[in-house]
Amino acid sequence: VQLQASGGGSVQTGGSLRLSCVVSGFINYYVISWFRQAPGKEREAISCISSSDGDTYYAASVKGRFTISGDSTVYLQMNQLKPEDTGVYYCAALPAYLPPVVTDGCGDESQYNSWGQGTLVTVSS
């Protein structure tokens, strides 16, 4: 499984960016998540999508502003960006043998076995 992330950049507060994650080599089911590591903070999952039914999950910090979509390429549309959205964004894949459910979250980071390279997002005030 290979993941390739792109789309980061620098924007001002209120701006938009779209991140892309090209997914290749998968069979069966999986969850694709976007993680964010802000400066001085731990990496956290901010959104994920299930391959089985397209169900999505958003962390409270991004809900209503970010939209995840896609399958072979997973996008993260980020609107109304804030300075606190600044960080390195990673896409990652969690394989599953049964249709994954993301209603309550994206699963533990330790379950993810494939990671794309990080892409930097900088939001200035």
Side-chain angles (χ1 to χ4, degrees):
V1 176
Q2 293 186 331
L3 304 174
Q4 187 167 0
S6 61
S10 297
V11 296
Q12 292 187 327
T13 297
S16 298
L17 283 173
R18 188 177 77 161
L19 306 183
S20 300
C21 178
V22 179
V23 181
S24 60
F26 257 119
I27 58 174
N28 295 326
Y29 303 107
Y30 54 90
V31 174
I32 299 296
S33 290
W34 283 98
F35 287 77
R36 175 173 70 197
Q37 187 159 25
K41 295 186 177 181
E42 293 187 354
R43 188 163 58 187
E44 60 172 342
I46 57 171
S47 184
C48 53
I49 187 166
S50 167
S51 70
S52 62
D53 58 4
D55 194 19
T56 60
Y57 173 86
Y58 299 94
S61 60
V62 305
K63 195 169 186 178
R65 301 186 297 121
F66 291 10
T67 303
I68 192 170
S69 63
D71 42 39
S72 57
T73 300
V74 175
Y75 302 98
L76 186 68
Q77 177 67 43
M78 306 186 294
N79 298 328
Q80 302 172 47
L81 283 162
K82 306 175 181 180
E84 51 264 44
D85 293 318
T86 293
V88 179
Y89 286 67
Y90 302 86
C91 60
L94 186 162
Y97 294 100
L98 296 173
V101 176
V102 299
T103 305
D104 296 325
C106 302
D108 192 86
E109 185 174 328
S110 63
Q111 297 174 288
Y112 287 78
N113 63 2
S114 298
W115 292 81
Q117 78 282 13
T119 184
L120 178 64
V121 172
T122 303
V123 185
S124 58
S125 56

